[in-house]
Amino acid sequence: SFEDLVAYAERQIATSREYLAIESLEFLARTGRVGRIKAAFAGALSVRPIVGHGGDGAITYAKVRSEDAAIREVASRVAEHPGEGRLVVLLEHTDNRKRVEEIGAILAAALPPDTEILYSPLSSTTSVHMGPGTWGVAVSRV
């Protein structure tokens, strides 16, 4: 029914998550989304934020020091995604599809065998703001 469809859509909106692993804050600084000094310090310390969307803007889920740490952090969050049902994971990429496919294989090994893994490029707007090397994972249960 229409009511069931609306309830399902609202549940998906409330429980789906997206984790974006940003390689560098350089492009966010260029567009004014992050201060230049903050971006310079993050670069000097090799800090890579993992961010997502919240009701009032961006949420920083974690700050890590390497791509391997980012993969571990995201894999852990995806594996612990709340709710019932089969996981559906969408791996998103900018200019790095091959690397994201490698990350997908790592995630697949850490997730239940019935997990569906899909791939998609990030929007051009997201790519411009976050820069090359950015990748992300959107996760939901169906």
Side-chain angles (χ1 to χ4, degrees):
S1 72
F2 178 74
E3 291 80 18
D4 291 339
L5 181 60
V6 169
Y8 177 80
E10 288 173 346
R11 195 168 47 255
Q12 289 299 320
I13 290 168
T15 62
S16 296
R17 296 288 178 268
E18 180 179 39
Y19 306 103
L20 295 162
I22 302 172
E23 187 170 309
S24 165
L25 295 181
E26 173 190 353
F27 289 86
L28 287 169
R30 284 185 188 179
T31 61
R33 302 242 181 310
V34 171
R36 292 189 185 278
I37 294 172
K38 185 176 185 177
F41 275 119
L45 298 172
S46 299
V47 173
R48 295 171 175 229
I50 297 173
V51 301
H53 304 286
D56 294 326
I59 296 172
T60 301
Y61 288 108
K63 295 175 184 174
V64 297
R65 304 291 290 275
S66 68
E67 185 176 57
D68 288 340
I71 293 168
R72 285 191 304 275
E73 178 70 27
V74 170
S76 172
R77 289 178 178 274
V78 171
E80 296 171 2
H81 190 72
E84 308 243 341
R86 181 173 55 87
L87 283 171
V88 176
V89 175
L90 174 66
L91 280 109
E92 307 161 309
H93 54 89
T94 50
D95 63 336
N96 50 350
R97 168 76 188 241
K98 183 176 167 107
R99 178 63 181 140
V100 169
E101 287 174 352
E102 294 168 357
I103 294 168
I106 294 166
L107 285 176
L111 298 173
D114 65 343
T115 300
E116 182 175 2
I117 297 181
L118 307 167
Y119 295 88
S120 176
L122 283 161
S123 73
S124 56
T125 302
T126 301
S127 297
V128 165
H129 288 309
M130 295 186 191
T134 297
W135 58 271
V137 175
V139 61
S140 185
R141 289 196 183 266
V142 294

Coordinates of all heavy atoms in Angstrom, one line a residue, residues 35-124:
G35 N 38.5 25.8 7.0 CA 39.5 26.8 7.0 C 40.9 26.4 6.5 O 41.2 25.2 6.7
R36 N 41.6 27.3 5.9 CA 42.9 26.9 5.3 C 43.9 26.5 6.4 O 44.7 25.6 6.1 CB 43.5 28.1 4.5 CG 42.6 28.4 3.3 CD 43.3 29.4 2.4 NE 42.5 29.8 1.3 CZ 42.4 29.1 0.1 NH1 43.1 28.0 0.0 NH2 41.7 29.5 -0.9
I37 N 43.9 27.1 7.5 CA 44.8 26.7 8.6 C 44.5 25.3 9.1 O 45.4 24.4 9.2 CB 44.8 27.7 9.7 CG1 45.4 29.0 9.2 CG2 45.6 27.2 10.9 CD1 45.2 30.2 10.2
K38 N 43.2 25.0 9.3 CA 42.8 23.7 9.7 C 43.2 22.6 8.6 O 43.7 21.5 9.0 CB 41.3 23.6 9.9 CG 40.8 22.3 10.4 CD 39.3 22.4 10.7 CE 38.7 21.2 11.3 NZ 37.3 21.3 11.6
A39 N 43.0 23.0 7.4 CA 43.4 22.0 6.3 C 44.9 21.8 6.3 O 45.4 20.7 6.1 CB 42.9 22.6 4.9
A40 N 45.7 22.9 6.5 CA 47.2 22.8 6.5 C 47.6 21.9 7.7 O 48.5 21.0 7.5 CB 47.8 24.1 6.6
F41 N 47.1 22.1 8.9 CA 47.4 21.2 10.0 C 47.0 19.8 9.7 O 47.8 18.8 10.0 CB 46.8 21.7 11.3 CG 47.5 22.8 12.0 CD1 47.0 24.0 12.2 CD2 48.8 22.6 12.4 CE1 47.7 25.0 12.8 CE2 49.5 23.6 13.1 CZ 49.0 24.8 13.3
A42 N 45.8 19.5 9.2 CA 45.4 18.2 8.9 C 46.4 17.5 7.9 O 46.7 16.3 8.1 CB 44.0 18.2 8.4
G43 N 46.8 18.3 6.9 CA 47.7 17.7 5.9 C 49.1 17.4 6.6 O 49.7 16.4 6.3
A44 N 49.6 18.3 7.4 CA 50.9 18.1 8.1 C 50.8 16.9 9.0 O 51.8 16.2 9.1 CB 51.3 19.3 8.8
L45 N 49.7 16.6 9.6 CA 49.6 15.5 10.5 C 49.0 14.2 9.9 O 48.7 13.3 10.6 CB 48.7 15.9 11.7 CG 49.2 17.1 12.6 CD1 48.1 17.5 13.6 CD2 50.5 16.7 13.3
S46 N 48.8 14.3 8.6 CA 48.2 13.2 7.8 C 46.8 12.7 8.3 O 46.5 11.6 8.4 CB 49.1 12.0 7.8 OG 50.4 12.3 7.2
V47 N 46.0 13.7 8.7 CA 44.7 13.4 9.3 C 43.7 13.3 8.1 O 43.7 14.2 7.2 CB 44.2 14.5 10.2 CG1 42.8 14.3 10.6 CG2 45.1 14.5 11.5
R48 N 43.0 12.2 8.1 CA 41.9 12.0 7.1 C 40.6 11.8 7.8 O 40.4 10.9 8.5 CB 42.2 10.7 6.3 CG 43.5 10.7 5.5 CD 43.8 9.3 5.0 NE 45.0 9.4 4.1 CZ 45.0 8.8 2.9 NH1 44.0 8.2 2.5 NH2 46.1 8.9 2.2
P49 N 39.7 12.8 7.5 CA 38.4 12.7 8.2 C 37.5 11.7 7.5 O 37.6 11.5 6.3 CB 37.8 14.1 8.1 CG 38.5 14.7 6.9 CD 39.9 14.0 6.8
I50 N 36.6 11.1 8.3 CA 35.5 10.3 7.7 C 34.3 11.0 8.1 O 34.0 11.2 9.3 CB 35.5 8.8 8.3 CG1 36.8 8.1 7.9 CG2 34.3 8.1 7.8 CD1 37.0 6.8 8.5
V51 N 33.5 11.5 7.1 CA 32.4 12.4 7.3 C 31.1 11.8 6.7 O 31.2 10.8 5.9 CB 32.6 13.8 6.8 CG1 33.9 14.4 7.4 CG2 32.8 13.8 5.3
G52 N 30.0 12.3 7.1 CA 28.7 11.9 6.6 C 27.8 13.1 6.7 O 28.1 14.2 7.0
H53 N 26.5 12.8 6.4 CA 25.5 13.8 6.4 C 24.7 13.7 7.7 O 24.3 12.7 8.2 CB 24.5 13.6 5.2 CG 25.2 13.6 3.9 ND1 25.7 14.7 3.4 CD2 25.6 12.6 3.1 CE1 26.3 14.4 2.2 NE2 26.2 13.1 2.1
G54 N 24.3 14.9 8.2 CA 23.5 15.0 9.4 C 22.3 15.9 9.1 O 22.2 16.5 8.1
G55 N 21.4 16.0 10.1 CA 20.3 16.9 9.9 C 20.6 18.3 9.6 O 20.0 19.0 8.9
D56 N 21.7 18.8 10.2 CA 22.1 20.2 10.1 C 23.4 20.4 9.3 O 24.0 21.5 9.4 CB 22.2 20.9 11.5 CG 20.9 21.0 12.2 OD1 19.8 21.1 11.5 OD2 20.9 20.8 13.4
G57 N 23.9 19.4 8.7 CA 25.1 19.5 7.9 C 26.0 18.3 8.1 O 25.5 17.2 8.3
A58 N 27.3 18.5 7.9 CA 28.2 17.4 7.9 C 28.5 16.9 9.4 O 28.4 17.7 10.3 CB 29.5 17.8 7.3
I59 N 28.7 15.6 9.5 CA 29.1 14.9 10.8 C 30.4 14.3 10.5 O 30.7 13.7 9.5 CB 28.1 13.8 11.1 CG1 26.7 14.3 11.4 CG2 28.6 13.0 12.3 CD1 25.7 13.2 11.5
T60 N 31.4 14.6 11.5 CA 32.6 13.9 11.4 C 32.5 12.7 12.3 O 32.4 12.8 13.5 CB 33.8 14.8 11.9 OG1 33.8 16.0 11.1 CG2 35.1 14.1 11.9
Y61 N 32.6 11.5 11.7 CA 32.5 10.2 12.4 C 33.8 9.8 13.0 O 33.9 9.3 14.1 CB 32.0 9.1 11.4 CG 30.6 9.2 11.0 CD1 30.3 9.6 9.7 CD2 29.6 8.9 11.9 CE1 28.9 9.7 9.4 CE2 28.3 9.0 11.6 CZ 27.9 9.4 10.3 OH 26.6 9.5 9.9
A62 N 34.9 10.1 12.3 CA 36.2 9.7 12.8 C 37.3 10.5 12.1 O 37.1 11.1 11.0 CB 36.5 8.2 12.6
K63 N 38.5 10.5 12.7 CA 39.7 11.1 12.1 C 40.8 10.0 12.2 O 41.1 9.6 13.3 CB 40.1 12.4 12.8 CG 39.1 13.5 12.7 CD 39.5 14.7 13.5 CE 38.4 15.8 13.5 NZ 38.7 16.9 14.3
V64 N 41.3 9.7 11.0 CA 42.3 8.6 11.0 C 43.6 9.1 10.3 O 43.6 10.2 9.8 CB 41.7 7.3 10.3 CG1 40.5 6.8 11.0 CG2 41.4 7.7 8.8
R65 N 44.6 8.3 10.3 CA 45.9 8.8 9.8 C 46.4 8.1 8.6 O 47.4 8.4 8.0 CB 47.0 8.6 10.9 CG 46.7 9.2 12.3 CD 46.8 10.7 12.3 NE 48.0 11.4 12.1 CZ 48.9 11.6 13.0 NH1 48.7 11.2 14.3 NH2 50.0 12.3 12.8
S66 N 45.6 7.1 8.0 CA 46.0 6.4 6.8 C 44.7 5.9 6.1 O 43.7 5.8 6.7 CB 46.9 5.3 7.1 OG 46.2 4.3 7.8
E67 N 44.9 5.5 4.9 CA 43.8 4.9 4.1 C 43.4 3.6 4.7 O 42.3 3.2 4.8 CB 44.1 4.7 2.6 CG 42.9 4.2 1.9 CD 43.2 4.1 0.4 OE1 44.1 3.4 0.0 OE2 42.4 4.7 -0.3
D68 N 44.4 2.8 5.2 CA 44.1 1.5 5.8 C 43.3 1.7 7.1 O 42.4 0.9 7.3 CB 45.4 0.7 6.2 CG 46.1 0.2 4.9 OD1 45.5 0.1 3.9 OD2 47.3 -0.1 5.0
A69 N 43.6 2.7 7.8 CA 42.8 3.0 9.0 C 41.4 3.4 8.7 O 40.4 3.1 9.3 CB 43.5 4.1 9.9
A70 N 41.3 4.2 7.6 CA 40.0 4.6 7.1 C 39.1 3.4 6.7 O 37.9 3.3 7.0 CB 40.1 5.6 5.9
I71 N 39.8 2.4 6.0 CA 39.1 1.2 5.5 C 38.6 0.4 6.8 O 37.5 0.0 6.8 CB 40.0 0.4 4.6 CG1 40.2 1.1 3.3 CG2 39.3 -1.0 4.4 CD1 41.3 0.5 2.5
R72 N 39.5 0.3 7.7 CA 39.1 -0.5 9.0 C 37.9 0.2 9.7 O 37.0 -0.4 10.1 CB 40.3 -0.6 9.9 CG 41.3 -1.6 9.5 CD 42.3 -1.9 10.5 NE 43.1 -0.8 11.0 CZ 44.1 -0.2 10.5 NH1 44.7 -0.8 9.4 NH2 44.7 0.8 11.0
E73 N 38.0 1.5 9.8 CA 37.0 2.3 10.5 C 35.6 2.1 9.8 O 34.6 1.9 10.4 CB 37.3 3.8 10.6 CG 36.3 4.7 11.2 CD 36.1 4.5 12.7 OE1 37.1 4.0 13.4 OE2 35.0 4.7 13.2
V74 N 35.6 2.3 8.5 CA 34.4 2.2 7.7 C 33.8 0.8 7.7 O 32.7 0.6 7.9 CB 34.6 2.7 6.3 CG1 33.4 2.4 5.4 CG2 34.8 4.2 6.3
A75 N 34.7 -0.2 7.6 CA 34.3 -1.6 7.6 C 33.6 -1.9 8.9 O 32.6 -2.6 9.0 CB 35.5 -2.5 7.3
S76 N 34.2 -1.4 10.0 CA 33.6 -1.7 11.3 C 32.3 -1.1 11.5 O 31.3 -1.7 12.0 CB 34.6 -1.1 12.4 OG 34.0 -1.1 13.7
R77 N 32.1 0.2 11.0 CA 30.8 0.8 11.1 C 29.8 0.1 10.2 O 28.6 0.0 10.6 CB 31.0 2.3 10.7 CG 31.7 3.1 11.7 CD 31.9 4.6 11.3 NE 32.5 5.3 12.4 CZ 31.9 5.9 13.4 NH1 30.6 5.8 13.5 NH2 32.6 6.5 14.3
V78 N 30.2 -0.3 9.0 CA 29.2 -1.0 8.1 C 28.8 -2.3 8.8 O 27.6 -2.7 8.8 CB 29.8 -1.2 6.7 CG1 29.0 -2.1 5.9 CG2 30.0 0.2 6.0
A79 N 29.8 -3.1 9.3 CA 29.5 -4.4 9.9 C 28.5 -4.2 11.1 O 27.7 -5.1 11.3 CB 30.8 -5.1 10.3
E80 N 28.6 -3.1 11.8 CA 27.8 -2.9 13.0 C 26.5 -2.1 12.6 O 25.8 -1.7 13.6 CB 28.6 -2.2 14.0 CG 29.8 -3.0 14.6 CD 30.7 -2.2 15.4 OE1 30.4 -1.0 15.7 OE2 31.7 -2.7 15.9
H81 N 26.2 -1.9 11.4 CA 25.0 -1.2 11.0 C 23.8 -1.8 11.6 O 23.5 -2.9 11.5 CB 24.9 -1.1 9.4 CG 23.9 -0.1 9.0 ND1 24.1 1.2 9.1 CD2 22.6 -0.3 8.5 CE1 23.0 1.8 8.6 NE2 22.1 0.9 8.3
P82 N 23.0 -0.9 12.3 CA 21.9 -1.5 13.1 C 20.7 -1.9 12.2 O 20.7 -1.5 11.0 CB 21.5 -0.3 14.0 CG 21.9 0.9 13.2 CD 23.2 0.5 12.5
G83 N 19.8 -2.6 12.8 CA 18.6 -3.0 12.1 C 18.6 -4.5 11.6 O 19.6 -5.2 11.9
E84 N 17.5 -4.9 11.0 CA 17.4 -6.2 10.5 C 17.4 -6.2 9.0 O 17.1 -5.2 8.4 CB 16.0 -6.7 11.0 CG 15.8 -6.5 12.5 CD 15.6 -7.9 13.2 OE1 15.3 -8.8 12.5 OE2 15.8 -7.9 14.4
G85 N 17.7 -7.4 8.5 CA 17.7 -7.5 7.0 C 19.1 -7.5 6.4 O 20.1 -7.4 7.1
R86 N 19.1 -7.8 5.1 CA 20.4 -7.9 4.4 C 21.0 -6.5 4.2 O 20.3 -5.5 3.9 CB 20.0 -8.5 3.1 CG 21.2 -8.8 2.1 CD 20.8 -9.6 0.9 NE 19.7 -9.0 0.2 CZ 19.8 -8.1 -0.7 NH1 21.0 -7.7 -1.1 NH2 18.7 -7.6 -1.4
L87 N 22.3 -6.5 4.3 CA 23.1 -5.2 4.1 C 23.2 -5.0 2.6 O 23.4 -5.9 1.8 CB 24.5 -5.3 4.6 CG 24.6 -5.1 6.1 CD1 26.1 -5.5 6.5 CD2 24.3 -3.7 6.6
V88 N 23.0 -3.7 2.2 CA 23.3 -3.2 0.8 C 24.3 -2.1 1.0 O 24.0 -1.2 1.7 CB 22.0 -2.7 0.1 CG1 22.3 -2.2 -1.2 CG2 21.0 -3.8 0.0
V89 N 25.4 -2.3 0.3 CA 26.5 -1.4 0.4 C 26.8 -0.8 -0.9 O 27.0 -1.5 -1.9 CB 27.8 -2.1 1.0 CG1 29.0 -1.2 1.0 CG2 27.5 -2.7 2.4
L90 N 26.9 0.6 -1.0 CA 27.2 1.3 -2.2 C 28.5 1.9 -2.0 O 28.7 2.8 -1.2 CB 26.1 2.3 -2.6 CG 26.4 3.2 -3.7 CD1 26.4 2.4 -5.0 CD2 25.4 4.4 -3.8
L91 N 29.5 1.5 -2.8 CA 30.9 2.1 -2.7 C 30.9 3.2 -3.8 O 30.6 2.9 -5.0 CB 32.0 1.0 -3.0 CG 32.2 0.2 -1.7 CD1 31.7 -1.2 -1.9 CD2 33.7 0.3 -1.4
E92 N 31.3 4.4 -3.3 CA 31.3 5.5 -4.2 C 32.7 6.0 -4.4 O 33.6 5.8 -3.5 CB 30.5 6.7 -3.5 CG 29.1 6.2 -3.0 CD 28.6 7.1 -2.0 OE1 29.2 7.4 -1.0 OE2 27.4 7.6 -2.2
H93 N 33.0 6.6 -5.6 CA 34.4 6.9 -5.9 C 34.4 8.2 -6.7 O 33.4 8.6 -7.3 CB 35.1 5.8 -6.7 CG 34.3 5.4 -7.9 ND1 34.5 5.9 -9.1 CD2 33.4 4.4 -8.0 CE1 33.7 5.3 -10.0 NE2 33.0 4.4 -9.4
T94 N 35.6 8.8 -6.7 CA 35.8 10.0 -7.5 C 36.6 9.6 -8.8 O 36.0 9.2 -9.8 CB 36.6 11.1 -6.7 OG1 37.8 10.5 -6.1 CG2 35.8 11.7 -5.7
D95 N 37.9 9.5 -8.7 CA 38.7 9.2 -9.8 C 39.4 7.9 -9.6 O 40.4 7.6 -10.2 CB 39.8 10.3 -10.0 CG 40.7 10.4 -8.8 OD1 40.3 10.0 -7.7 OD2 41.8 10.9 -9.0
N96 N 38.9 7.1 -8.6 CA 39.7 5.9 -8.1 C 38.9 4.6 -8.1 O 38.9 3.9 -7.1 CB 40.2 6.3 -6.7 CG 39.1 6.8 -5.8 OD1 38.0 7.1 -6.3 ND2 39.3 7.0 -4.6
R97 N 38.2 4.3 -9.2 CA 37.3 3.2 -9.2 C 38.1 1.9 -8.9 O 37.6 1.0 -8.2 CB 36.6 3.1 -10.6 CG 35.9 1.8 -10.9 CD 34.6 1.6 -10.2 NE 34.0 0.3 -10.3 CZ 32.8 0.1 -10.9 NH1 32.1 1.1 -11.3 NH2 32.3 -1.1 -10.9
K98 N 39.2 1.7 -9.5 CA 40.0 0.5 -9.3 C 40.3 0.3 -7.8 O 40.2 -0.8 -7.2 CB 41.3 0.5 -10.1 CG 42.1 -0.8 -10.0 CD 43.3 -0.8 -10.9 CE 44.2 -1.8 -10.6 NZ 44.4 -2.9 -11.3
R99 N 40.8 1.4 -7.1 CA 41.1 1.3 -5.7 C 39.8 1.0 -4.9 O 39.9 0.2 -3.9 CB 41.7 2.6 -5.2 CG 42.1 2.6 -3.7 CD 43.1 1.5 -3.4 NE 43.3 1.5 -2.0 CZ 43.5 0.4 -1.2 NH1 43.4 -0.8 -1.8 NH2 43.7 0.4 0.1
V100 N 38.7 1.6 -5.3 CA 37.5 1.3 -4.5 C 37.0 -0.1 -4.7 O 36.4 -0.7 -3.8 CB 36.4 2.4 -4.9 CG1 35.0 2.0 -4.4 CG2 36.8 3.7 -4.4
E101 N 37.3 -0.7 -5.9 CA 37.0 -2.1 -6.1 C 37.8 -3.0 -5.1 O 37.3 -4.0 -4.6 CB 37.2 -2.5 -7.5 CG 36.1 -2.0 -8.4 CD 36.3 -2.3 -9.9 OE1 37.4 -2.7 -10.3 OE2 35.4 -2.0 -10.7
E102 N 39.1 -2.6 -4.9 CA 39.9 -3.3 -3.9 C 39.3 -3.2 -2.5 O 39.3 -4.1 -1.8 CB 41.3 -2.8 -4.0 CG 42.0 -3.1 -5.3 CD 43.3 -2.3 -5.5 OE1 43.7 -1.5 -4.6 OE2 44.0 -2.5 -6.5
I103 N 38.9 -2.0 -2.2 CA 38.3 -1.7 -0.9 C 37.0 -2.6 -0.8 O 36.7 -3.1 0.3 CB 38.0 -0.2 -0.7 CG1 39.3 0.6 -0.6 CG2 37.1 0.0 0.5 CD1 39.2 2.1 -0.7
G104 N 36.2 -2.7 -1.9 CA 35.0 -3.5 -1.9 C 35.3 -5.0 -1.5 O 34.6 -5.6 -0.8
A105 N 36.4 -5.5 -2.1 CA 36.8 -6.9 -1.8 C 37.2 -7.0 -0.3 O 36.8 -8.0 0.3 CB 38.0 -7.3 -2.6
I106 N 37.8 -6.0 0.3 CA 38.2 -6.0 1.7 C 36.9 -6.0 2.5 O 36.7 -6.8 3.5 CB 39.1 -4.9 2.1 CG1 40.4 -5.0 1.4 CG2 39.2 -4.8 3.6 CD1 41.3 -3.8 1.5
L107 N 35.9 -5.2 2.2 CA 34.7 -5.1 2.9 C 33.9 -6.4 2.7 O 33.3 -6.9 3.7 CB 33.8 -3.9 2.4 CG 34.2 -2.5 2.8 CD1 33.3 -1.5 2.1 CD2 34.1 -2.4 4.3
A108 N 33.9 -6.9 1.5 CA 33.1 -8.2 1.3 C 33.6 -9.3 2.2 O 32.8 -10.1 2.7 CB 33.2 -8.6 -0.1
A109 N 34.9 -9.4 2.5 CA 35.5 -10.4 3.3 C 35.1 -10.2 4.8 O 35.0 -11.2 5.6 CB 37.0 -10.4 3.2
A110 N 34.7 -9.0 5.2 CA 34.4 -8.7 6.6 C 32.9 -8.6 6.8 O 32.5 -8.5 8.0 CB 35.0 -7.3 6.9
L111 N 32.1 -8.8 5.8 CA 30.6 -8.6 5.9 C 29.9 -10.0 5.6 O 30.6 -10.9 5.1 CB 30.1 -7.6 5.0 CG 30.7 -6.2 5.2 CD1 30.2 -5.2 4.1 CD2 30.2 -5.6 6.6
P112 N 28.7 -10.1 6.1 CA 28.0 -11.4 5.8 C 27.9 -11.7 4.3 O 27.9 -10.8 3.4 CB 26.5 -11.1 6.3 CG 26.7 -10.0 7.3 CD 27.9 -9.1 6.8
P113 N 27.9 -13.0 3.9 CA 28.0 -13.4 2.5 C 26.8 -12.9 1.7 O 27.0 -12.8 0.4 CB 28.1 -14.9 2.6 CG 27.7 -15.3 3.9 CD 27.9 -14.1 4.8
D114 N 25.7 -12.6 2.3 CA 24.6 -12.1 1.5 C 24.5 -10.6 1.3 O 23.6 -10.1 0.7 CB 23.2 -12.6 2.1 CG 23.0 -12.0 3.5 OD1 23.9 -11.4 4.1 OD2 21.8 -12.0 3.9
T115 N 25.6 -9.9 1.7 CA 25.7 -8.5 1.5 C 25.8 -8.2 0.0 O 26.6 -8.8 -0.7 CB 26.9 -7.9 2.2 OG1 26.8 -8.2 3.6 CG2 27.1 -6.4 2.0
E116 N 25.0 -7.2 -0.5 CA 25.0 -6.8 -1.8 C 25.9 -5.6 -1.9 O 25.8 -4.6 -1.2 CB 23.6 -6.4 -2.3 CG 23.6 -6.0 -3.8 CD 22.2 -5.8 -4.3 OE1 21.2 -5.9 -3.5 OE2 22.1 -5.5 -5.5
I117 N 26.9 -5.6 -2.8 CA 27.9 -4.5 -3.0 C 27.7 -3.9 -4.4 O 27.8 -4.6 -5.3 CB 29.3 -5.0 -2.7 CG1 29.5 -5.4 -1.2 CG2 30.3 -3.8 -3.0 CD1 30.8 -5.9 -0.8
L118 N 27.5 -2.6 -4.4 CA 27.3 -1.9 -5.7 C 28.4 -0.8 -5.8 O 29.0 -0.4 -4.8 CB 25.9 -1.3 -5.7 CG 24.7 -2.2 -5.4 CD1 23.5 -1.4 -5.1 CD2 24.5 -3.2 -6.6
Y119 N 28.6 -0.3 -6.9 CA 29.6 0.8 -7.2 C 28.9 1.9 -8.0 O 28.1 1.7 -8.8 CB 30.8 0.2 -8.0 CG 31.5 -0.8 -7.2 CD1 31.2 -2.2 -7.3 CD2 32.6 -0.5 -6.4 CE1 31.8 -3.1 -6.6 CE2 33.3 -1.4 -5.7 CZ 32.9 -2.8 -5.8 OH 33.6 -3.7 -5.1
S120 N 29.3 3.1 -7.6 CA 28.8 4.3 -8.3 C 29.8 5.5 -8.2 O 30.4 5.6 -7.1 CB 27.5 4.7 -7.7 OG 27.0 5.9 -8.4
P121 N 30.0 6.3 -9.2 CA 30.8 7.5 -9.0 C 30.1 8.5 -8.1 O 28.8 8.5 -8.1 CB 30.9 8.0 -10.4 CG 30.0 7.3 -11.3 CD 29.5 6.1 -10.6
L122 N 30.8 9.2 -7.4 CA 30.2 10.3 -6.6 C 29.8 11.4 -7.6 O 30.3 11.5 -8.7 CB 31.3 10.9 -5.6 CG 31.5 10.0 -4.3 CD1 32.8 10.4 -3.7 CD2 30.4 10.2 -3.4
S123 N 28.9 12.3 -7.1 CA 28.5 13.3 -8.0 C 29.6 14.3 -8.3 O 30.6 14.4 -7.6 CB 27.3 14.1 -7.3 OG 27.9 14.9 -6.3
S124 N 29.5 15.0 -9.4 CA 30.6 15.9 -9.8 C 30.8 17.0 -8.8 O 31.9 17.5 -8.5 CB 30.4 16.5 -11.2 OG 29.1 17.1 -11.2

